[in-house]
Amino acid sequence: MTTSSDQIEIYDTTLRDGGQALGVNLSLADKLELSRQLDWLGVSYIEGGWPGSNPKDAGYFEEVPKLELERAKVFAFGSTRHQRNAPANDPNLIQLVQSRADGCCIFGKTWDLHVTDALRVSLQDNLEMIGSSVEFLKERTGKPVFYDAEHFFDGFLANPDYALSTLAAAAKAGADRLILCDTNGGALPEQVQRAIAAAQSVAPGVPLGIHVHNDGGLAVANTLAAVQAGCTQVQGTMNGVGERCGNVDLTSVIANLELKFGKRCLPEGHLARLTELSRIVWERLNLTAPLNQPYVGKSAFAHKGGIHVSAMQRNQRTYEHVVPESVGNTRRILISEMSGRSNLVAKLANRYPNLRDEAVLSGILNEVQDRENQGYSYEGADGSFDLLVRRHLGEWSAAFELLYYRVHGIGTAGEDAHTVEATVKLNVAGETRLCAAEGNGPVDALSHALWQALTPAFPTLSKLHLVDYKVRVVNSSDGTAAKVRVLVEYTHGTHSFTTLGVSENIIEASWQALVDAVEYAIQRGREKRA
Amino acid sequence: MTTSSDQIEIYDTTLRDGGQALGVNLSLADKLELSRQLDWLGVSYIEGGWPGSNPKDAGYFEEVPKLELERAKVFAFGSTRHQRNAPANDPNLIQLVQSRADGCCIFGKTWDLHVTDALRVSLQDNLEMIGSSVEFLKERTGKPVFYDAEHFFDGFLANPDYALSTLAAAAKAGADRLILCDTNGGALPEQVQRAIAAAQSVAPGVPLGIHVHNDGGLAVANTLAAVQAGCTQVQGTMNGVGERCGNVDLTSVIANLELKFGKRCLPEGHLARLTELSRIVWERLNLTAPLNQPYVGKSAFAHKGGIHVSAMQRNQRTYEHVVPESVGNTRRILISEMSGRSNLVAKLANRYPNLRDEAVLSGILNEVQDRENQGYSYEGADGSFDLLVRRHLGEWSAAFELLYYRVHGIGTAGEDAHTVEATVKLNVAGETRLCAAEGNGPVDALSHALWQALTPAFPTLSKLHLVDYKVRVVNSSDGTAAKVRVLVEYTHGTHSFTTLGVSENIIEASWQALVDAVEYAIQRGREKRA
């Protein structure tokens, strides 16, 4: 049972603070779609942007009301007034008043060093800037105003009395929450707890929040320590995106608070949406998800060592701290050089529960090992692995026989300089087909020609859609002659799968992956009909 | 000042536990080279492998003495004896005795669930297996024996008396260290501290170690909590590689302990080697380093937001928790859409301290923004960014004029099926050169032809060496016709740099990056001569 004191407000700032991360560049469409998804997960607040900082963020607050979010309140971010402006003449505060947000969150200076060295105003003037800005926003908007105490923990170490007086100024002016920030991300859990105890004494009635960065690798621990010390709001970003080492990762915080501290962060039953939300965010941000991300990563519940896998088959608690399904993740059994027979049997058990044929198992294991020595890696290529198993089981027949493929006209000379032509000749369903197609590059041209040749016989292929295409050098010591591994991910309706190819020639490696993808899709199509 | 009680032993298990990670597959040569590097950093112990588990690890212990490491002791890993063997007949223990390691570390069961459900022996028999195995190794090797209490923290929660009795059995048999493991990675810092206090009471004279995994995102916090509670050995892996969510990242632990807790983990002055060691490990493991890794990541001290950059120029402490040079890292000022003029000036300040020409600055900023809209990304491409700036400053002249390039013969037909031919025609140093070259793939063939055409005029190119080649889809919604971004990294002696290209055609994108790389290298060569 969670009581009201067990309720934690999740304030997501992926769209604002997350946008400071290296390589992150969100369009207005991205921001709106992510708002919809964050609402689906069930966060309490979405910090959508800083309307005073750029036109894209101002546009966001015009558009977001049309989404009619179910639960999340959308907040605008800003700063206290500029030292030279009265609140009513401060462009930043006026933008916040004019925005259609449900509330706002403004940051001010807490650390005396920042007041004197960065802002260059007197300590007293800074207190007045905080108080008058909060007061102005409360009066003019009639909506909640949260106050972000930037650098609170560093400021508290340097000059505790002054740091606390900035909180008192915001509280006195009517701030609805005081958010304690570890802006530089270097605080330690004990420091966090001591400073929070002091903050509670200067603003007893005002709920506290925590906002930390991960520069010391302690963001999750600092956030949990803050909640234990009494903070009831957690600010952070999904997947921990953010500048330098990132903000605290809300996916880890939410899972820990709900599963290990008995707190409630999301509506009942929504915790199982966490893994899907995390992957949607990685995708929208166009960043590669780290496999080892706690709770939601693809390998968070992956088992590779043979001993672990044997024990897991006897009792799942032996090597898992929580049940993967609690956060919407799944268990994976990995196939690799180290795995041995027990992993292979476990991975195949789902599909072929009665497979005990030693010769077949050995054949599969040996082929996996041989191919891994050549640079293949089946850990991330479920589609190609499935085809490999089927070949050993005699359950597979090739959908077509390739005679040749060729690519022509790559270069800068002539018209349509970047248009490439590919030809594919193959035998399919008793006839020989030669198809030619153009494309924007060699892989595009080849895939068009291949689909053109096969779709008449296998109409299911028209529903295949490429999701991702990745290339990596397997052994960079050979320079541009090094082998590359190509992974392609396709979706086929709701099912997605990955296939791979390896070669010194990037076109050949891509071709292998394309062929595996069509073979896999055709095979699945046959089974569905059967 | 650090005293002897401030000394922490670093026990690195990257080569053993790190090898369990998804995608990690270390050759014998990799293991030996990494041992050399870990010794250069200055760790106390290197766990090199499990000689009983595979022939590669057995070979490692034959070869490693030849390295004549300066400081690190090399340890072999293993398990307590099998329930059916006497110690003297247990193949695993015998391998440990025969190995040429400086000591060994064996794991045993602590959690009653594991004893009964995974091992399937009685609780009493397990105690005897632990004691007799440690005693046998101590007697037969005469070397240090460390005891890894697997699942200690889960076991302590489930059955504290039994968990502690396993430690007592190992201590009584002569174990030189008792290592407390959070094998499932789900422990919380308070749990860790309480369990360690209890462990100290059952084995008062024996130094304790801590070995945790990161499934809750708390590995660094749990390790620091354990050191505060009295553990004097820390086990982990470099960069936190390991199965599921990884082991604790020793780079974060070492930096935190030395910079924030006044502990000594490495020889004096060696902390500044940490960033280089981290990058060497990522490279050897053939994994992509996460940019946001605390302390050692490429963006750990990167500043993007305009306000932060302005403040940093006034006082560096404003947005950095430690000095980047303390761990051998460097500050980066990022150029991107959000950056505004202050970032650009800061980034250029090093090289062009007097650049204040508004027209030039605007020109650079506008071109960066235009190109980022097309899919370019200069954040990771210092070489291409440098060329762009030089063009605006009028400080650059093209080293050659391209007439055309063409690629021929990609396909499966004929002999040498995967050999590709490329031709490059260009004007260089007053003459027209047409060069043809073969390669294992189109990019390889093109680079050979390009080098062949240019090296006579620019011999410096013969020293360029490719380090990395990366491809990523910029907008996957267009399928195989999507734009790709190619990044190539070259070294030129000790200096390395990255250039980029963007196109729907992977060959054209690669070509752009190759051309930028040769132009950049030629430009630098000219300056060195001048």
Side-chain angles (χ1 to χ4, degrees):
Chain A
M1 273 296 290
T2 51
T3 68
S4 69
S5 72
D6 288 329
Q7 193 73 41
I8 300 296
E9 298 172 347
I10 299 295
Y11 183 104
D12 181 282
T13 182
T14 307
L15 304 184
R16 205 272 309 165
D17 223 7
Q20 299 286 324
L22 184 63
V24 170
N25 193 344
L26 291 168
S27 68
L28 177 54
D30 290 333
K31 288 188 144 202
L32 292 168
E33 174 59 18
L34 285 173
S35 301
R36 222 173 52 74
Q37 298 291 350
L38 289 165
D39 187 51
W40 170 78
L41 177 69
V43 304
S44 304
Y45 300 99
I46 296 171
E47 187 168 84
W50 185 343
S53 80
N54 66 68
K56 193 202 295 168
D57 282 8
Y60 168 85
F61 289 100
E62 291 300 307
E63 295 295 321
V64 72
K66 299 175 191 163
L67 296 180
E68 299 184 352
L69 299 181
E70 264 190 38
R71 182 172 193 279
K73 304 292 177 209
V74 177
F75 268 47
F77 183 74
S79 76
T80 53
R81 68 171 176 81
H82 193 277
Q83 53 259 44
R84 285 195 302 271
N85 299 333
N89 297 323
D90 188 79
N92 170 58
L93 293 181
I94 291 167
Q95 293 253 22
L96 290 175
V97 170
Q98 290 171 346
S99 107
R100 298 180 59 194
D102 299 314
C104 67
C105 183
I106 59 167
F107 77 95
K109 297 293 184 190
T110 320
W111 186 359
D112 54 3
L113 167 82
H114 265 262
V115 178
T116 55
D117 281 33
L119 215 51
R120 296 183 177 168
V121 302
S122 76
L123 295 179
Q124 185 55 42
D125 283 353
N126 180 52
L127 294 179
E128 202 286 326
M129 284 159 59
I130 295 169
S132 62
S133 300
V134 171
E135 200 172 275
F136 174 78
L137 289 170
K138 282 297 295 179
E139 265 180 37
R140 293 294 178 92
T141 67
K143 296 171 184 170
V145 176
F146 296 175
Y147 176 71
D148 251 14
E150 202 193 20
H151 289 109
F152 173 70
F153 299 99
D154 289 312
F156 183 78
L157 279 183
N159 186 341
D161 290 342
Y162 185 71
L164 295 172
S165 70
T166 65
L167 295 183
K172 191 172 162 219
D176 296 280
R177 302 281 187 282
L178 298 177
I179 314 301
L180 311 176
C181 301
D182 181 25
T183 309
N184 291 7
L188 303 174
E190 307 79 35
Q191 287 170 7
V192 166
Q193 293 196 317
R194 274 198 303 274
I196 289 173
Q200 284 167 326
S201 68
V202 297
V206 189
L208 299 181
I210 182 78
H211 174 125
V212 305
H213 288 255
N214 195 37
D215 298 70
L218 293 165
V220 174
N222 285 338
T223 300
L224 298 176
V227 169
Q228 288 179 287
C231 287
T232 53
Q233 178 175 122
V234 170
Q235 298 198 347
T237 62
M238 290 300 163
N239 301 330
V241 295
E243 65 184 328
R244 302 192 314 272
C245 306
N247 290 62
V248 72
D249 184 349
L250 284 178
T251 66
S252 290
V253 170
I254 291 170
N256 277 316
L257 286 176
E258 294 221 347
L259 296 173
K260 300 195 173 171
F261 289 81
K263 301 286 183 183
R264 170 61 49 81
C265 304
L266 303 176
E268 178 129 29
H270 284 213
L271 185 61
R273 299 181 179 183
L274 198 63
T275 297
E276 186 174 347
L277 187 282
S278 165
R279 292 181 188 171
I280 288 167
V281 172
W282 284 121
E283 196 56 41
R284 270 279 156 182
L285 265 46
N286 201 17
L287 295 176
T288 308
L291 297 170
N292 62 358
Q293 191 179 3
Y295 290 102
V296 296
K298 278 207 175 172
S299 71
F301 301 93
H303 302 278
K304 182 171 166 183
I307 289 180
H308 287 203
V309 173
S310 315
M312 287 292 301
Q313 290 175 291
R314 294 179 180 177
N315 184 324
Q316 296 173 1
R317 282 176 63 211
T318 51
Y319 289 98
E320 286 176 354
H321 69 131
V322 300
V323 180
E325 289 73 19
S326 61
V327 291
N329 208 341
T330 49
R331 180 172 304 122
R332 292 173 72 199
I333 305 293
L334 303 176
I335 298 307
S336 86
E337 189 196 26
M338 299 182 83
S339 45
R341 186 153 286 114
S342 60
N343 286 33
L344 194 59
V345 175
K347 192 176 168 94
L348 294 172
N350 252 342
R351 194 159 190 136
Y352 307 103
N354 301 319
L355 176 60
R356 287 285 180 280
D357 183 328
E358 280 298 315
V360 171
L361 285 171
S362 298
I364 295 172
L365 205 55
N366 290 339
E367 187 176 350
V368 167
Q369 287 180 359
D370 282 354
R371 288 184 160 253
E372 292 203 341
N373 286 335
Q374 295 165 43
Y376 287 76
S377 170
Y378 287 94
E379 291 175 347
D382 49 356
S384 292
F385 178 73
D386 191 72
L387 288 177
L388 185 151
V389 172
R390 286 162 183 276
R391 279 196 289 270
H392 282 269
L393 291 171
E395 290 189 2
W396 176 81
S397 58
F400 65 95
E401 177 199 0
L402 177 71
L403 300 173
Y404 65 79
Y405 74 82
R406 297 194 73 79
V407 178
H408 319 275
I410 297 175
T412 55
E415 295 174 356
D416 291 330
H418 295 167
T419 300
V420 174
E421 181 193 317
T423 48
V424 169
K425 187 174 180 183
L426 43 76
N427 289 330
V428 56
E431 63 172 312
T432 300
R433 293 179 60 88
L434 170 61
C435 291
E438 291 182 336
N440 282 325
V443 181
D444 190 41
L446 274 173
S447 79
H448 287 308
L450 182 62
W451 259 245
Q452 198 180 309
L454 293 176
T455 310
F458 306 105
T460 187
L461 294 180
S462 63
K463 282 178 266 161
L464 268 192
H465 171 67
L466 184 83
V467 178
D468 202 3
Y469 171 75
K470 283 189 209 132
V471 182
R472 106 158 279 185
V473 172
V474 175
N475 179 2
S476 69
S477 61
D478 296 324
T480 45
K483 274 190 184 172
V484 294
R485 181 191 301 137
V486 169
L487 288 166
V488 295
E489 183 177 355
Y490 277 89
T491 52
H492 196 211
T494 56
H495 174 72
S496 77
F497 61 91
T498 302
T499 57
L500 89 163
V502 173
S503 169
E504 288 89 0
N505 183 336
I506 192 168
I507 309 297
E508 168 64 18
S510 304
W511 171 260
Q512 292 174 10
L514 288 176
V515 168
D516 265 16
V518 299
E519 288 284 8
Y520 179 81
I522 290 168
Q523 187 72 37
R524 273 183 60 92
R526 281 182 184 143
E527 282 165 19
K528 276 198 188 155
R529 280 198 310 277
Chain B
M1 273 300 291
T2 52
T3 67
S4 69
S5 72
D6 289 329
Q7 193 72 43
I8 301 295
E9 298 172 348
I10 299 296
Y11 183 103
D12 181 281
T13 181
T14 309
L15 304 183
R16 204 275 307 167
D17 223 5
Q20 300 286 325
L22 183 62
V24 170
N25 194 343
L26 292 169
S27 67
L28 177 53
D30 290 333
K31 289 187 144 201
L32 292 169
E33 174 59 17
L34 284 173
S35 301
R36 223 173 50 77
Q37 298 290 352
L38 289 165
D39 187 52
W40 170 79
L41 177 68
V43 304
S44 305
Y45 301 99
I46 296 170
E47 188 169 85
W50 184 343
S53 80
N54 65 69
K56 194 202 295 168
D57 282 7
Y60 168 84
F61 290 100
E62 291 300 309
E63 294 294 322
V64 73
K66 300 177 190 162
L67 296 181
E68 299 185 350
L69 299 181
E70 263 190 39
R71 184 174 192 278
K73 305 289 178 211
V74 176
F75 268 47
F77 184 75
S79 76
T80 53
R81 68 172 177 81
H82 193 279
Q83 54 260 43
R84 285 194 302 270
N85 299 333
N89 296 325
D90 189 78
N92 171 58
L93 293 182
I94 290 166
Q95 293 252 23
L96 290 175
V97 170
Q98 290 171 345
S99 107
R100 298 180 58 196
D102 300 313
C104 67
C105 183
I106 59 166
F107 77 95
K109 298 291 184 191
T110 320
W111 187 0
D112 54 4
L113 167 83
H114 265 262
V115 177
T116 55
D117 281 34
L119 214 53
R120 296 181 177 170
V121 302
S122 76
L123 295 180
Q124 186 54 41
D125 282 353
N126 180 52
L127 293 179
E128 202 285 325
M129 284 160 60
I130 295 169
S132 62
S133 300
V134 170
E135 199 171 276
F136 174 78
L137 288 171
K138 283 296 294 178
E139 264 179 35
R140 293 296 177 94
T141 68
K143 297 173 185 170
V145 176
F146 296 174
Y147 176 71
D148 251 14
E150 201 194 21
H151 289 109
F152 173 70
F153 300 99
D154 290 312
F156 182 78
L157 279 182
N159 186 340
D161 290 342
Y162 185 71
L164 294 173
S165 70
T166 65
L167 295 184
K172 190 172 163 222
D176 296 279
R177 302 281 185 283
L178 298 176
I179 314 299
L180 310 175
C181 301
D182 181 25
T183 309
N184 291 6
L188 303 174
E190 307 79 36
Q191 288 170 6
V192 166
Q193 293 196 318
R194 272 198 304 276
I196 289 173
Q200 284 167 327
S201 68
V202 297
V206 189
L208 300 180
I210 181 78
H211 174 127
V212 305
H213 288 255
N214 195 36
D215 297 71
L218 293 166
V220 174
N222 284 339
T223 300
L224 297 177
V227 170
Q228 287 180 286
C231 287
T232 52
Q233 178 175 123
V234 170
Q235 297 198 349
T237 63
M238 289 299 161
N239 301 329
V241 295
E243 68 184 326
R244 302 192 315 274
C245 306
N247 290 60
V248 72
D249 184 349
L250 283 179
T251 65
S252 290
V253 170
I254 292 170
N256 276 315
L257 286 176
E258 294 222 346
L259 296 174
K260 301 195 172 171
F261 289 81
K263 302 285 184 186
R264 170 61 49 81
C265 304
L266 303 176
E268 177 128 31
H270 284 213
L271 184 62
R273 299 181 179 182
L274 198 63
T275 298
E276 187 174 344
L277 187 280
S278 164
R279 292 178 188 171
I280 288 167
V281 172
W282 285 121
E283 195 57 39
R284 271 280 155 181
L285 265 47
N286 202 15
L287 296 175
T288 308
L291 296 171
N292 61 359
Q293 192 179 1
Y295 290 101
V296 296
K298 277 208 176 174
S299 72
F301 300 94
H303 302 279
K304 182 170 167 183
I307 290 179
H308 286 204
V309 173
S310 313
M312 286 292 300
Q313 289 174 291
R314 295 180 180 176
N315 185 326
Q316 296 174 0
R317 284 175 62 209
T318 51
Y319 289 98
E320 285 176 354
H321 69 130
V322 299
V323 179
E325 289 73 20
S326 61
V327 290
N329 208 340
T330 49
R331 181 173 303 123
R332 292 174 73 200
I333 305 292
L334 303 176
I335 299 307
S336 87
E337 192 194 25
M338 299 183 84
S339 46
R341 188 154 285 113
S342 60
N343 286 33
L344 192 60
V345 175
K347 192 176 168 92
L348 294 173
N350 253 341
R351 202 168 178 125
Y352 307 103
N354 300 318
L355 177 60
R356 287 287 179 279
D357 183 329
E358 280 298 315
V360 170
L361 286 171
S362 298
I364 295 171
L365 205 57
N366 290 339
E367 187 175 349
V368 168
Q369 287 181 357
D370 282 354
R371 289 186 159 253
E372 291 202 342
N373 285 336
Q374 295 164 43
Y376 287 77
S377 171
Y378 287 93
E379 292 175 345
D382 49 355
S384 291
F385 178 72
D386 191 70
L387 287 176
L388 185 152
V389 172
R390 286 163 182 276
R391 279 195 288 272
H392 283 270
L393 291 172
E395 289 189 2
W396 176 81
S397 58
F400 65 95
E401 178 199 2
L402 178 72
L403 299 173
Y404 65 78
Y405 73 81
R406 297 193 74 80
V407 178
H408 320 275
I410 298 176
T412 54
E415 294 176 356
D416 293 328
H418 294 167
T419 300
V420 174
E421 179 193 317
T423 48
V424 169
K425 188 175 179 185
L426 45 77
N427 289 329
V428 56
E431 63 172 313
T432 300
R433 292 179 63 88
L434 170 61
C435 292
E438 291 183 336
N440 282 328
V443 181
D444 191 40
L446 274 173
S447 79
H448 287 308
L450 181 63
W451 259 245
Q452 197 179 309
L454 292 175
T455 309
F458 306 106
T460 186
L461 295 179
S462 62
K463 282 176 267 161
L464 269 189
H465 172 67
L466 185 83
V467 178
D468 202 4
Y469 170 77
K470 286 188 205 133
V471 182
R472 111 157 270 186
V473 171
V474 176
N475 179 1
S476 68
S477 60
D478 297 323
T480 45
K483 274 191 184 170
V484 293
R485 183 192 301 137
V486 170
L487 287 166
V488 294
E489 183 177 354
Y490 277 89
T491 53
H492 196 213
T494 57
H495 174 73
S496 77
F497 61 90
T498 301
T499 57
L500 89 162
V502 172
S503 169
E504 289 89 358
N505 183 334
I506 193 168
I507 309 298
E508 168 64 17
S510 304
W511 170 260
Q512 292 173 11
L514 288 176
V515 168
D516 266 15
V518 298
E519 288 283 9
Y520 179 80
I522 289 168
Q523 187 73 36
R524 273 182 59 92
R526 281 182 185 145
E527 282 164 20
K528 276 198 189 159
R529 280 199 308 278

